[in-house]
Amino acid sequence: MVANLIDEDPEQAYAYSKVALRLASRVAAVREAAGFAAYATQKYSEALAEFRAARRMTGSVELWPVMADCERGLGRPERAMAMAGEPEVQKLDKAGQVEMRLVAAGARRDMGQLDAAIVTLQSPELASNSVQPWTARLRYAYADALLAAGREGEAREWFAKALEADKDGATDASDRLAEMDGVEFVDAIDDEDEHGHGHEDLDDGQANDDKNEQDDKDDKNKQDDKDDKNEQDDESGDVEGDRAE
């Protein structure tokens, strides 16, 4: 349930993780799931404690990058940077090493070291033309750092490269590109809903208005005719009355 809900409803996922902890706190997978649920709800201290527990149980370094990111979330980027230099990083697989590089670059930015963050992201993985699961996020982070440094031309190029690699919509690279190009998107469906009708409805409404207007004119003409007839009847009655006198 944690896995099913963590993206759509992290608070509910967190609630399920607390139940799982009560039932099986000595199972490493439960501690890891609880850590990710806490991480998703920005409870970084709790997440870090669960990740440490899972690591003690398994001996795996797999959670090292997300543990470092928890340190960032707790306002301790220096600790995240220190973790980036530990031997555990060399034991990570390629995906883990890229993730650690992203965390380290984020820590550099947290400390106001923007140029150092850009250099941290410059790597063989960034330069590679092959698309891997991490490629879009790595290119996006690099583009975002370039933009923060005022290097807009390069940033736009890397946002475009991130979009090329982002087949699953993991980033908002397309929105960032549109923003840089001054493009504003308008949702036609929302526009119709806001006004209560679409173009066809407008045409129908206009036709109804025209019909109602014509009906009003016909009613007025009928009333005028009726008034004229009543007036003539009154005049005829007056003449008859004069004759009778």
Side-chain angles (χ1 to χ4, degrees):
M1 290 307 296
V2 172
N4 287 337
L5 293 169
I6 197 164
D7 291 330
E8 301 298 328
D9 191 347
E11 289 291 346
Q12 189 66 26
Y14 175 76
Y16 273 107
S17 76
K18 301 302 284 185
V19 176
L21 278 173
R22 288 199 299 270
L23 296 172
S25 62
R26 295 185 181 182
V27 177
V30 171
R31 304 303 288 268
E32 182 176 331
F36 278 111
Y39 179 81
T41 53
Q42 300 183 2
K43 298 176 176 65
Y44 297 116
S45 180
E46 191 175 331
L48 186 56
E50 297 299 340
F51 289 142
R52 283 173 175 166
R55 182 168 178 266
R56 284 195 301 270
M57 292 176 178
T58 63
S60 171
V61 297
E62 184 181 61
L63 297 171
W64 195 256
V66 71
M67 289 169 62
D69 205 38
C70 285
E71 295 286 6
R72 283 186 61 212
L74 290 167
R76 303 191 295 240
E78 301 86 358
R79 292 194 185 182
M81 282 304 306
M83 290 180 69
E86 293 291 334
E88 282 82 355
V89 176
Q90 302 306 317
K91 300 175 184 177
L92 293 168
D93 61 12
K94 182 63 68 177
Q97 290 180 7
V98 170
E99 195 65 37
M100 193 70 238
R101 189 178 293 275
L102 287 167
V103 173
R108 291 287 189 189
R109 291 187 65 171
D110 293 342
M111 294 186 288
Q113 301 172 4
L114 191 52
D115 289 339
I118 291 172
V119 172
T120 299
L121 292 168
Q122 292 171 346
S123 61
E125 293 82 15
L126 180 68
S128 174
N129 289 324
S130 68
V131 175
Q132 303 295 333
W134 61 78
T135 302
R137 291 177 57 242
L138 182 59
R139 291 177 180 179
Y140 182 94
Y142 188 58
D144 192 49
L146 289 170
L147 186 60
R151 295 159 62 175
E152 293 188 8
E154 294 173 87
R156 193 194 183 290
E157 176 187 349
W158 281 98
F159 275 129
K161 288 183 178 181
L163 182 59
E164 281 180 14
D166 193 1
K167 305 303 181 186
D168 300 323
T171 73
D172 64 347
S174 60
D175 293 339
R176 299 296 295 276
L177 277 171
E179 183 180 343
M180 292 185 73
D181 293 340
V183 176
E184 183 176 348
F185 294 101
V186 177
D187 194 326
I189 296 176
D190 289 346
D191 187 57
E192 290 176 6
D193 291 341
E194 181 180 347
H195 293 88
H197 45 59
H199 295 298
E200 293 181 2
D201 291 336
L202 282 173
D203 293 339
D204 293 341
Q206 185 63 50
N208 288 333
D209 289 342
D210 293 343
K211 183 178 184 302
N212 291 337
E213 184 178 347
Q214 184 61 47
D215 289 343
D216 290 342
K217 288 180 180 179
D218 292 342
D219 290 342
K220 187 177 183 304
N221 291 336
K222 289 178 181 179
Q223 185 62 43
D224 290 344
D225 292 342
K226 185 175 181 182
D227 292 341
D228 291 342
K229 185 176 185 303
N230 290 338
E231 186 176 345
Q232 290 174 0
D233 290 343
D234 291 342
E235 291 177 356
S236 299
D238 292 340
V239 172
E240 293 293 333
D242 292 341
R243 288 179 180 172
E245 290 176 0

